Amino acid sequence: MIQPQTLLNVADNSGARELMCIRIIGAGNPRYAHIGDVIVAVIKEAVPNMPLERSEVIRAVIVRTCKELKRDNGIIIRYDDNAAVVIDQEGNPKGTRVFGAIPRELRQLNFTKIVSLAPEVL
Amino acid sequence: MQSIWRCLRGSGCHLSKSLICSGGKAESHLKHFLGNEFNLYGFKALSSNGISQSANSGANFLIRSMTTSINPETSDGQDTSPSTPEVVHPPWIKFKRLDKTARHIMNILDKEAVEQVRAEREIPAIEPGYIIQLKVEVPENKRRVSSLKGIVIATRNAGLNSTFRLRRLVAGVGVESVFPLYSPNIKEMKVLEKKKVRRAKLYYLRDRMNPLKK
């Protein structure tokens, strides 16, 4: 349940370290964002000497939340942190590597590049 | 004898007939109350000195409860008593309140479903603090069986919907998953180790085993 002002870890090597959500993309004024939703975020902390810098406004897709993700077969998954992957306008990740576990639902939402880079797909 | 019948018949409890029949063996009847069907043929075995006993004991047993045969769904067999030499009562089946009956039936269905699953697979007892290895089949992943290992931090007992919560470290991130215990996707379950814990829910491990916390 990510909302504006939420700080998120970054799960790739695009250069950002921490993002703050400022808006959730979607129709109907969504209150919260879950796994698989695209958000607009500002970079609060960045790794030096990388293409992305601090206080840049970028888009990201949420890949891990502390709020549980429910599946139809009764399995519920809950991560220990909130994390996102920085993407561009088309939905392709800006980084070349992805860290941490990625849930399987991203594949249905056409983020196949992220899923293929993931070290572990849950 | 007929006066006993009439005074108890007037009270409207159709069970009184059968209770009088087995009034001679009242104590044993009460012990097996929940297990057996009523013995309607006990009337024949009633002796003469058992009549006075049954007058008192039968009145004590005017219990307004449902018949507790083994299979409650066929409990309308009360009116099939052939050999009563007295007046034939119209068949009146008295049930418990409908919601109590429904709850009872749901409990039985639940137990049957659990036994059915337990007969197919061997499911070990799972307590918080066990370290468990699971083999889960993932239908989206082209039926690949993945193996998960983690510590059980909570269990919830709810019949067929019993679940347990497994905490593990996946690629540097802590992940907690809730699995239904009787899920058909769980192919195999093995207990690796049992840790001594003094709690039923080990949520304190979230602060201790968190690699991402600064």
Side-chain angles (χ1 to χ4, degrees), chain B residues 61-76:
Chain B
F61 292 133
L62 288 182
I63 307 165
R64 298 167 40 132
S65 62
M66 81 182 272
T67 65
T68 52
S69 50
I70 303 282
N71 202 355
E73 280 91 73
T74 61
S75 61
D76 51 352

Side-chain angles (χ1 to χ4, degrees), chain A residues 49-66:
Chain A
N49 306 325
M50 290 285 261
L52 288 181
E53 282 172 357
R54 195 180 172 285
S55 69
E56 243 187 76
V57 174
I58 40 105
R59 287 198 172 200
V61 63
I62 296 175
V63 295
R64 290 197 290 272
T65 50
C66 286

Side-chain angles (χ1 to χ4, degrees), chain A residues 72-93:
Chain A
D72 287 340
N73 51 6
I75 295 179
I76 300 179
I77 294 187
R78 183 192 170 277
Y79 297 93
D80 270 0
D81 69 329
N82 302 312
V85 165
V86 178
I87 60 174
D88 59 5
Q89 284 293 114
E90 281 88 45
N92 300 321

Side-chain angles (χ1 to χ4, degrees), chain A residues 73 75-76 78 80 104 120, chain B residues 140 167 170 174 176-178:
Chain A
N73 51 6
I75 295 179
I76 300 179
R78 183 192 170 277
D80 270 0
R104 214 174 300 279
E120 173 99 25
Chain B
E140 300 121 341
R167 185 180 168 83
V170 178
E176 281 178 20
S177 309
V178 175

